[in-house]
Amino acid sequence: MSKKVFNIGILGTGWIADKMAKTLAKMTSARAYAVASRTLDKAEKFASEFSIPKFYGSYDLLADDPEVDLIYIGTPHSHHFEQAKMCLLKNKPVLCEKAFTVNTPQAEELIKISHERKVFLAEAIWTRYQPMRQMISKVINSGIIGKPVMLSANLCYPNIAQERMYKPELAGGALLDLGVYVLNFADMFFGSDIKETSSHCIKYHTGIDAQESITLEYSDGRIAVLSSSLIAKSDRQGIISGTDGFVIVENVNNPQSYSVYNQDYNLVEKVQCPPQITGYEYQVDCCINAISQGRIEPLEMPHEDILRIMRQMDSLRKTWGVKLSDSDPF
Ligand SMILES: NC(=O)c1ccc[n+]([C@@H]2O[C@H](COP(=O)([O-])OP(=O)(O)OC[C@H]3O[C@@H](n4cnc5c(N)ncnc54)[C@H](OP(=O)(O)O)[C@@H]3O)[C@@H](O)[C@H]2O)c1
């Protein structure tokens, strides 16, 4: 029997929607079946560009389409909550871009609805679903660098001129757009037993966080030093340092390789990322697997992990006085 091809509905027609459409075009397990925009013309143009069979001039109409198996939300952070809620209330499975929501109360409400209605809900934080995650974990746990004790990660793109980045009402700022990746990097490889967090933030004139540094101290004495910025360009490296060597991950935004160095700074091993379509295919496949198995959350990024990262981000924004929504819990 041939396997079902999942019909993906793309909500939004911006930068990431374009990447998702290009990804789906090369997948065999899923296809871009429909797209929705606030404007019918935009939806039609997008559909024609990517040969998508259906297009809608409203997000609601996309969620009403009985043929849609999973809705991918690719809109500004400020809108994730209301759009994901609308889809879930129509019993539509959702894969929502990072940052999942503006704050924890919004994330909690979506997760509650997902559990009550038994409808699938996931965050599109692509690095969690990629094979490189397991490959990096394996090399760290192999003992080759000794005991891992220090981690650093940075992600900086000078994108502050974009409306979505500098506007508080679109839930802009470096943390929700980029910091979320370095927090996830630390969480994936150093876990969540954090004793203390300290941080510094430089604000933009609009009130959003332009750049920040975050230090996490773990109960067992490990430390993670993280930075993200919307005004700088950086090397995007993640480095896990152990007592006997270190691992350098190229691009924490979509790991392309890892290199292992020994005590003498000699390269022991360099491993490239397996071939990708774009790297976005893995999150789609993980959602398909979960839904096919009757789960309402993916194993790779369970709801509990979404909430843990959201709480970290709320707490950091509270420290900095960066308010993005009336529903912020501070
Ligand atoms: N995983 C990744 O690598 C990655 C990379 C980039 C972005 N992202 C995430 O993807 C999401 C979208 O980012 P993007 O860069 O694609 O944004 P974008 O290019 O600005 O597109 C956002 C889209 O959202 C829709 N939208 C709905 N309400 C809006 C509003 N009030 N203002 C502006 N747009 C609105 C628009 O589509 P219509 O006009 O058609 O309705 C617009 O095209 C964010 O959550 C971001 O963090 C992820």
Side-chain angles (χ1 to χ4, degrees):
M1 207 174 73
S2 64
K3 260 186 124 178
K4 173 184 163 59
V5 176
F6 263 61
N7 282 335
I8 311 297
I10 301 176
L11 193 154
T13 56
W15 191 90
I16 198 69
D18 176 283
K19 299 288 166 291
M20 181 51 80
K22 286 180 175 138
T23 307
L24 291 168
K26 294 194 172 162
M27 291 182 71
T28 51
S29 53
R31 66 165 180 160
Y33 161 80
V35 61
S37 168
R38 293 165 299 172
T39 340
L40 187 62
D41 281 358
K42 264 167 96 178
E44 185 173 12
K45 195 165 163 276
F46 192 95
S48 138
E49 187 180 348
F50 297 105
S51 306
I52 298 174
K54 289 273 183 73
F55 55 89
Y56 295 108
S58 107
Y59 299 148
D60 278 78
L61 289 176
L62 176 74
D64 286 335
D65 185 330
E67 299 300 320
V68 171
D69 297 311
L70 175 68
I71 293 186
Y72 167 72
I73 298 179
T75 57
H77 311 140
S78 48
H79 289 61
H80 293 175
F81 171 68
E82 61 178 75
Q83 292 159 353
K85 185 173 174 179
M86 178 275 291
C87 295
L88 292 170
L89 290 175
K90 292 177 190 272
N91 296 320
K92 278 291 179 211
V94 168
L95 171 62
C96 179
E97 261 304 334
K98 45 57 64 173
F100 186 63
T101 48
V102 178
N103 55 40
T104 311
Q106 291 183 351
E108 282 171 342
E109 188 172 335
L110 293 183
I111 289 169
K112 186 165 172 267
I113 299 170
S114 152
H115 284 245
E116 280 170 1
R117 302 179 82 92
K118 303 206 179 347
V119 182
F120 180 83
L121 174 64
E123 179 178 1
I125 174 90
W126 58 331
T127 49
R128 288 261 179 182
Y129 305 88
Q130 295 173 331
M132 279 294 270
R133 174 185 179 182
Q134 300 308 332
M135 292 161 68
I136 296 164
S137 287
K138 207 170 156 194
V139 75
I140 298 169
N141 296 333
S142 72
I144 194 166
I145 59 163
K147 187 169 177 252
V149 283
M150 172 81 88
L151 177 152
S152 67
N154 71 73
L155 192 60
C156 311
Y157 296 111
N159 285 344
I160 203 147
Q162 291 176 25
E163 211 180 26
R164 185 174 77 68
M165 306 297 180
Y166 70 77
K167 282 195 167 174
E169 60 271 32
L170 292 180
L175 181 69
L176 265 62
D177 201 62
L178 306 172
V180 65
Y181 283 109
V182 288
L183 287 171
N184 270 285
F185 189 83
D187 194 86
M188 283 190 283
F189 303 118
F190 266 20
S192 57
D193 190 7
I194 296 163
K195 192 171 106 185
E196 218 174 298
T197 299
S198 58
S199 62
H200 284 279
C201 161
I202 303 297
K203 286 195 209 172
Y204 197 52
H205 65 84
T206 56
I208 56 98
D209 53 309
Q211 58 178 354
E212 54 255 344
S213 70
I214 305 162
T215 302
L216 310 175
E217 181 189 336
Y218 297 82
S219 300
D220 60 3
R222 287 173 304 157
I223 281 185
V225 182
L226 313 173
S227 48
S228 41
S229 174
L230 280 173
I231 51 178
K233 187 110 184 166
S234 74
D235 59 27
R236 305 182 293 188
Q237 280 187 345
I239 305 178
I240 299 116
S241 302
T243 48
D244 299 330
F246 55 96
V247 175
I248 300 182
V249 176
E250 290 299 342
N251 191 2
V252 296
N253 198 186
N254 178 13
Q256 291 304 298
S257 69
Y258 71 76
S259 303
V260 183
Y261 291 84
N262 66 14
Q263 284 280 9
D264 301 319
Y265 302 98
N266 290 324
L267 179 66
V268 178
E269 180 187 30
K270 180 166 182 170
V271 175
Q272 298 292 339
C273 159
Q276 301 179 329
I277 298 177
T278 55
Y280 296 112
E281 62 272 29
Y282 299 105
Q283 57 189 1
V284 176
D285 271 331
C286 290
C287 291
I288 291 174
N289 287 342
I291 294 168
S292 306
Q293 290 164 15
R295 282 187 271 116
I296 59 165
E297 57 193 317
L299 296 171
E300 297 78 2
M301 187 58 173
H303 293 165
E304 190 189 322
D305 293 13
I306 295 178
L307 289 173
R308 185 169 63 253
I309 301 289
M310 288 308 309
R311 285 189 197 107
Q312 271 184 299
M313 294 200 292
D314 281 3
S315 157
L316 287 162
R317 287 198 296 112
K318 180 182 176 186
T319 306
W320 307 332
V322 173
K323 210 165 156 57
L324 297 173
S325 160
D326 290 339
S327 65
D328 280 346
F330 52 87

